[in-house]
Amino acid sequence: MFEGTLVDLVPFEDDYATYLESWMNEEAWFRAHLWDRREPHPEDAVKKYIEKMEKNERAALIGYQTKAGDPIGGLIYDHEWSRVRKVEVTFFTGDSRYEGTDEVLDGLLMLARYCFETRNMHRLDAMSLAFDEARIDALRRAGFVHEGTLRQHIRWDGDYVDVELYGLLEDEWPGYAARIEALGLQASDLEPKPKPEKKLEDEKALDEKILAP
Amino acid sequence: MMFEGLLVDLVPYGKRFFALERTWRNNDSAFWSSGGDRHIVSRASIQRMADRWAEEAEQMGPSRGIMFGVQAKDGTPLGFITINWLLPHSRLAMLGARIGDPAYWGGGYGTDALLLIIDYAFGWLDMRKLWLGTTSVNVRVMRQMEKTGFALEARERCAALMDGVWHDGLLYGLLREEWPGRDAMVERLGLRAKDGQNGSSTR
Ligand SMILES: CC(C)(COP(=O)(O)OP(=O)(O)OC[C@H]1O[C@@H](n2cnc3c(N)ncnc32)[C@H](O)[C@@H]1OP(=O)(O)O)[C@@H](O)C(=O)NCCC(=O)NCCS
């Protein structure tokens, strides 16, 4: 576990894998994966996605949760490019109650911290659909700088929408601690959701398998 | 299938081109097209790369990239021009080009090829927007973009490391409604075949 101020970063497994079966079919997912064709993701596709990310040495899918252990969603880095020390970062708010909260911002800050302070990156790339205000707000507050607008770039529900590009450089990153101090994050104190039932069923099935003679 | 321009034709990127890959990949053309990489690659590893791409391409279906060889009117292979990363659901695709022999740079060959592939992407593939990325020191590409009406949409700071110096990445875009068509562009730019080469290939 990698501990932040309002959230902790954890492996994307167990309950996260179960939650992803619904998260991957919800609005927040598609906003974060703006290049992808909108299509349903059955359980198999979800499993494959997690496996693909685990095997990809230039990318990672990381779970983030409140201090009480309530899973919020995923933090992603992708296309890490070692020669240029550059990586694309994104995040999704699986549990929509957390949309726009400081927990999500702390998730993004922890991802930036990890990329700069652990992975030694020089530059983080981020982008947002122009209407995704919660994402743009989080990027701005985290210190990302707006670098341009890709005009009418992505087909979205009958329209072609702009994509806003952001970048954050190593020498603009004051360090996680300094950033946190300047921001004064507030916990939203949402009630943790009940554990997913699906998981319990799976465990039961597995137990039965193991117990079966 | 072949697209005929004034200085170049777009043809399949076949063996005659591939035979020159080792030279092109190891020279300055690859440095510029990759935004600063210095490839030092053997024939065998180039072949492996090509095999891997071909395998991947087979699984990609309609988003598979398309590569043309660019050849001079006398049949000399000059390099490639590509449409990559097609997103049919957004009707969006990225362009890329590399003229392998620096002796041919700045002679109008690249722009001639660009006009052909833009027409192809809009006219045949029904794309709606084309975009491409380069670096803030690639003056040939910047000039080409300006000439052909692409808009500079983003400047990614310090996104390219070139011989030890950080440079910005530039992203350009062209919407279909902004494209007057190849004929109009040929006229506007006053492009002409070179003397003695009236648009017919010798090969
Ligand atoms: C990019 C490339 C395909 C362009 O093709 P090209 O045949 O060189 O381009 P053109 O001659 O049609 O156009 C280049 C323009 O830049 C101008 N130019 C050339 N050298 C220049 C220089 N040093 N300073 C300023 N302008 C220059 C040319 O004069 C021309 O403009 P003009 O028509 O107004 O005279 C080719 O140069 C190339 O393959 N370069 C190496 C790889 C690369 O950079 N690929 C693209 C990566 S995004």
Side-chain angles (χ1 to χ4, degrees):
Chain A
M1 179 146 81
F2 185 25
E3 293 185 27
T5 308
L6 300 183
V7 302
D8 298 323
L9 273 45
V10 297
F12 205 96
E13 59 189 0
D14 302 335
D15 286 354
Y16 284 86
T18 306
Y19 281 127
L20 195 61
E21 289 174 6
S22 45
W23 288 349
M24 230 174 135
N25 291 294
E26 287 162 15
E27 186 65 16
W29 174 269
F30 294 109
R31 284 190 184 190
H33 295 82
L34 50 96
W35 300 109
D36 296 356
R37 189 167 66 185
R38 187 174 285 231
E39 60 188 24
H41 297 118
E43 291 88 343
D44 261 12
V46 175
K47 217 174 130 203
K48 267 197 201 133
Y49 173 77
I50 294 177
E51 274 170 21
K52 200 182 85 192
M53 291 300 278
E54 289 208 331
K55 285 190 194 141
N56 188 341
E57 284 175 11
R58 299 167 58 217
L61 167 64
I62 301 162
Y64 69 116
Q65 60 192 32
T66 63
K67 291 288 168 182
D70 194 25
I72 300 168
L75 307 169
I76 295 167
Y77 71 81
D78 203 353
H79 302 114
E80 185 178 80
W81 186 3
S82 56
R83 187 179 74 76
V84 184
R85 295 196 288 123
K86 182 165 115 74
V87 69
E88 294 164 20
V89 296
T90 191
F91 55 92
F92 64 92
T93 314
D95 182 341
S96 59
R97 295 178 304 153
Y98 288 96
E99 170 111 358
T101 62
D102 283 359
E103 278 81 358
V104 176
L105 175 58
D106 194 32
L108 175 60
L109 293 170
M110 285 296 286
L111 181 59
R113 174 190 194 178
Y114 181 59
C115 290
F116 284 129
E117 299 174 25
T118 304
R119 302 197 68 79
N120 191 27
M121 289 291 111
H122 153 83
R123 188 193 140 89
L124 312 186
D125 290 351
M127 62 181 74
S128 176
L129 292 160
F131 60 79
D132 192 349
E133 282 161 21
R135 178 175 305 274
I136 289 174
D137 191 52
L139 289 169
R140 287 231 172 92
R141 290 179 71 202
F144 282 77
V145 176
H146 186 240
E147 297 183 323
T149 303
L150 304 175
R151 300 168 306 152
Q152 303 177 31
H153 213 63
I154 293 293
R155 182 70 174 175
W156 196 269
D157 195 14
D159 267 324
Y160 291 94
V161 302
D162 294 350
V163 172
E164 306 297 345
L165 292 191
Y166 291 84
L168 181 59
L169 301 175
E170 193 178 20
D171 58 16
E172 292 164 347
W173 176 249
Y176 177 75
R179 194 86 232 171
I180 286 293
E181 194 166 354
L183 284 166
L185 302 183
Q186 298 287 321
S188 52
D189 293 325
L190 288 162
E191 202 53 42
K193 50 189 163 299
K195 289 267 172 187
E197 280 169 31
K198 175 74 172 50
K199 178 64 178 51
L200 296 173
E201 271 167 33
D202 280 356
E203 259 169 17
K204 228 168 71 193
L206 196 69
D207 287 349
E208 275 164 16
K209 233 194 218 160
I210 292 166
L211 292 176
Chain B
M1 178 62 203
M2 184 156 119
F3 293 111
E4 292 188 13
L6 294 164
L7 305 180
V8 301
D9 295 325
L10 303 191
V11 300
Y13 196 83
K15 289 195 182 114
R16 289 185 303 121
F17 288 85
F18 199 73
L20 290 159
E21 259 311 300
R22 184 179 176 281
T23 309
W24 292 344
R25 284 223 149 223
N26 286 291
N27 75 12
D28 263 6
S29 71
F31 171 80
W32 287 103
S33 69
S34 65
D37 211 346
R38 293 277 181 200
H39 300 277
I40 304 166
V41 277
S42 67
R43 238 172 247 110
S45 57
I46 291 169
Q47 185 62 54
R48 272 196 301 275
M49 251 182 273
D51 293 346
R52 208 171 45 235
W53 283 335
E55 254 171 53
E56 285 169 10
E58 253 175 54
Q59 297 158 8
M60 285 184 70
S63 55
R64 182 177 46 86
I66 298 169
M67 184 176 207
F68 288 99
V70 177
Q71 73 179 23
K73 286 292 176 181
D74 66 2
T76 308
L78 300 182
F80 66 67
I81 190 154
T82 55
I83 305 180
N84 289 308
W85 197 10
L86 281 100
L87 293 189
H89 57 283
S90 287
R91 295 171 65 201
L92 173 72
M94 194 173 235
L95 301 179
R98 190 185 71 202
I99 288 177
D101 182 350
Y104 281 88
W105 295 352
Y109 298 93
T111 300
D112 202 35
L114 181 63
L115 302 190
L116 290 169
I117 207 165
I118 293 172
D119 247 26
Y120 169 66
F122 288 143
W124 290 95
L125 304 182
D126 201 22
M127 291 295 120
R128 188 179 169 279
K129 182 178 178 184
L130 301 174
W131 64 316
L132 65 80
T134 190
T135 58
S136 53
V137 279
N138 199 329
V139 286
R140 285 172 293 272
V141 176
M142 289 158 71
R143 176 76 190 114
Q144 255 191 328
M145 295 295 94
E146 189 189 333
K147 282 197 291 187
T148 53
F150 278 74
L152 176 60
E153 297 186 334
R155 171 180 289 267
E156 300 184 312
R157 298 159 310 137
C158 301
L161 182 67
M162 303 177 78
D163 284 342
V165 182
W166 290 107
H167 295 292
D168 296 345
L170 304 181
L171 292 171
Y172 289 91
L174 176 71
L175 297 167
R176 188 167 179 163
E177 71 216 31
E178 295 164 346
W179 179 240
R182 177 171 174 271
D183 293 346
M185 198 47 87
V186 164
E187 184 141 338
R188 187 182 302 176
L189 299 177
L191 302 184
R192 237 166 249 133
K194 299 227 183 258
D195 288 345
Q197 297 180 351
N198 292 322
S200 61
S201 169
T202 54
R203 259 180 235 185

